[in-house]
Amino acid sequence: MTVAFDRAHYDAIVNAFTIDAEELREVAADFRQDMRLGLMGSPDSSLRMLPSYLGLPTGEERGDYLALDFGGTNVHVVLYRLLGNGKYDVLSQTAKPLKVDGIYDFIGPEATGKEMFDFIAALVDETVGGDHETPYLLGHTFSFPSRQTNINDARLVIWTKGFAARGVEGEAVNDLLWEALVRQGLTNVTPIAVINDTVAVLLAAAYVKGDTAIGAVYAAGYNTCYLEPYTGTAQPPMILNMESGGFRKLVPNRFDAALDAASEKPGEQRLEKMAAGRCMGVLFAMALAELLGEKGCTYGFTSIDLSRMLADTGGETAAALVRTRTGVELSVQDAVCVRDLAHAVVARSVRLIAATFVGTLWQITGSGEMRPQHIAVDGSIYEKMPLVQQNMMRAFSELLGEDAAKADTFLSCGGSGLGAALAAAMAARG
């Protein structure tokens, strides 16, 4: 089947995914305002501003520390040697999935937290080579919604990402881990710090690179943390996890509204639903379905499909993907339009993320002069999606003017493990 696009309809859809400089500035300003409201504890803020109970590393942290990276089905345990001067070695590491179909499942509703953490404790044992004598401090990156009251007390609020193991929600995860380590005979391993993955990214980047006070994860989901210098309390500057995917002072288009209405939790995570990788393909598919006169079809497009389209300067890849997903043959001209639609969806995402970074830079800078600042970003969208950095720097230029040269983003891979080890070192230092 061959379909020719209605050009006016196409232009209107692309326009729905377009944010001009003035609108972008308003997003950045609203984001900073929510940060300030959140710091005051106002219910009018859509940012959670959760304390991590950590500042930034000095770069001189030294010693051997264990890191547990528990952010999804695959669990990693790494023994790091921190060498100071931002350097480190990996002494040993172990990684295994918590579920293998037909063999074992420690994440499903039939599993218990005791079984899950016993499995993890066995991974720790493997990583230290069965050493039950040498004292080790362990940092734990735990990337699930948690309520934290100090550096070592994070209680799971609710499982996400398909996890349903019993007896963990409401519990202090490091207590469960410690009990499992004791059962394993690892009384020499002490969990001393627990952080989320965004905080881990910032700690790792600040240790290795310096001049970094903002960390983000830009992948299937989205979140940001930063070092807050103006807490208004007697506390020293502290990293705050904003849970920024929940920022809601945005103007959704009709595709955003439809995606939200069909989601598990309508009205929540507005920024994430407009910008995160898991939503890009859905939004693109909704727009394409309208163009093809098949409103309501989803077609199964993903952010990976959009990435493939953008990597092709012509429209051949877009045409092939549309043919495979929808059965529609596109003209060369319409195939290029589809690629440009994919770019519009991605560019809006990047520009919204950039606006949140700028709002955060404004908060860090206060009334003074902006100093050079790196922004550490981990995640598949930032790493692999074409044109992300170009769109990011264009947005910085629009919002920061001459100061745009003082800010840059860089890829910080593998921060979850190193950040956990640094958290242990910093907690031990007090």
Side-chain angles (χ1 to χ4, degrees):
M1 179 176 68
T2 302
V3 174
F5 292 157
D6 178 285
R7 190 46 56 112
H9 190 192
Y10 170 81
D11 289 344
I13 287 175
V14 169
N15 189 58
F17 286 100
T18 301
I19 301 178
D20 64 27
E22 184 177 342
E23 293 168 318
L24 204 63
R25 182 171 294 278
E26 189 171 335
V27 171
D30 285 344
F31 191 84
R32 188 197 179 188
Q33 177 66 4
D34 260 19
M35 292 175 71
R36 299 175 79 174
L37 289 171
L39 289 171
M40 294 185 290
S42 170
D44 293 329
S45 175
S46 58
L47 299 174
R48 296 186 64 188
M49 312 301 282
L50 303 173
S52 70
Y53 302 96
L54 288 171
L56 294 178
T58 64
E60 293 304 310
E61 287 73 14
R62 289 179 167 85
D64 294 352
Y65 297 93
L66 281 164
L68 167 60
D69 181 7
F70 185 0
T73 303
N74 291 302
V75 172
H76 295 76
V77 182
V78 186
L79 179 58
Y80 285 93
R81 175 163 292 165
L82 303 178
L83 303 170
N85 297 313
K87 299 185 183 303
Y88 64 93
D89 287 332
V90 173
L91 302 183
S92 62
Q93 57 184 315
T94 309
K96 288 184 181 177
L98 286 166
K99 176 181 178 180
V100 177
D101 288 338
I103 300 178
Y104 63 82
D105 180 357
F106 295 115
I107 70 173
E110 299 303 313
T112 66
K114 179 177 180 293
E115 293 167 339
M116 172 188 284
F117 281 97
D118 281 346
F119 180 81
I120 292 172
L123 298 185
V124 176
D125 205 355
E126 186 176 340
T127 305
V128 298
D131 179 358
H132 291 193
E133 300 295 330
T134 306
Y136 292 105
L137 298 179
L138 180 147
H140 183 181
T141 296
F142 185 70
S143 307
F144 296 88
S146 303
R147 187 175 295 109
Q148 193 159 355
T149 55
N150 60 54
I151 185 57
N152 196 38
D153 180 21
R155 294 177 181 271
L156 175 66
V157 175
I158 187 171
W159 279 125
T160 56
K161 308 177 189 179
F163 278 63
R166 292 174 283 120
V168 185
E169 292 181 349
E171 300 295 322
V173 292
N174 265 6
D175 287 353
L176 298 178
L177 175 61
W178 165 246
E179 292 164 4
L181 290 168
V182 171
R183 289 192 294 270
Q184 188 72 23
L186 288 166
T187 55
N188 56 318
V189 177
T190 305
I192 193 175
V194 59
I195 55 177
N196 90 340
D197 56 346
T198 315
V199 173
V201 167
L202 176 53
L203 292 178
Y207 177 74
V208 172
K209 200 173 181 75
D211 290 332
T212 308
I214 301 172
V217 174
Y218 185 17
Y222 175 66
N223 191 20
T224 327
C225 69
Y226 77 110
L227 182 74
E228 170 52 54
Y230 309 110
T231 56
T233 71
Q235 292 178 331
M238 181 187 293
I239 297 172
L240 300 181
N241 164 24
M242 293 189 276
E243 292 296 329
S244 54
F247 178 61
R248 62 174 175 263
K249 292 175 182 175
L250 299 163
V251 181
N253 63 32
R254 63 184 182 278
F255 305 108
D256 300 314
L259 184 151
D260 178 57
S263 68
E264 293 179 1
K265 297 180 179 180
E268 297 185 20
Q269 298 298 102
R270 178 167 292 171
L271 174 59
E272 193 164 81
K273 288 172 182 174
M274 293 173 69
R278 65 185 175 88
C279 299
M280 287 180 180
V282 179
L283 291 168
F284 169 83
M286 288 178 173
L288 181 64
E290 257 200 30
L291 280 171
L292 297 177
E294 297 181 343
K295 187 175 180 179
C297 289
T298 58
Y299 303 131
F301 284 98
T302 67
S303 61
I304 295 173
D305 294 326
L306 272 59
S307 178
R308 291 174 60 196
M309 291 181 197
L310 297 190
D312 177 7
T313 54
E316 295 85 357
T317 301
L321 285 167
V322 169
R323 185 187 310 116
T324 301
R325 296 281 194 275
T326 73
V328 173
E329 289 286 348
L330 296 177
S331 67
V332 173
Q333 185 179 18
D334 283 349
V336 171
C337 287
V338 166
R339 179 193 180 277
D340 290 346
L341 173 61
H343 180 249
V345 172
V346 172
R348 185 189 68 159
S349 166
V350 178
R351 288 172 68 78
L352 288 173
I353 299 304
T356 69
F357 288 161
V358 169
T360 308
L361 287 169
W362 286 340
Q363 174 64 17
I364 291 171
T365 302
S367 59
E369 181 180 344
M370 184 173 145
R371 64 181 180 83
Q373 183 65 237
H374 305 301
I375 299 170
V377 188
D378 195 5
S380 55
I381 298 299
Y382 183 81
E383 180 180 6
K384 298 177 180 178
M385 184 69 73
L387 307 178
V388 166
Q389 295 211 27
Q390 296 93 317
N391 281 295
M392 187 78 69
M393 296 315 297
R394 186 177 300 120
F396 281 179
S397 180
E398 291 174 18
L399 295 179
L400 295 171
E402 292 182 359
D403 279 345
K406 298 180 181 179
D408 63 42
T409 59
F410 71 97
L411 179 64
S412 178
C413 284
S416 291
L418 178 58
L422 287 162
M426 294 166 68
R429 186 181 67 211

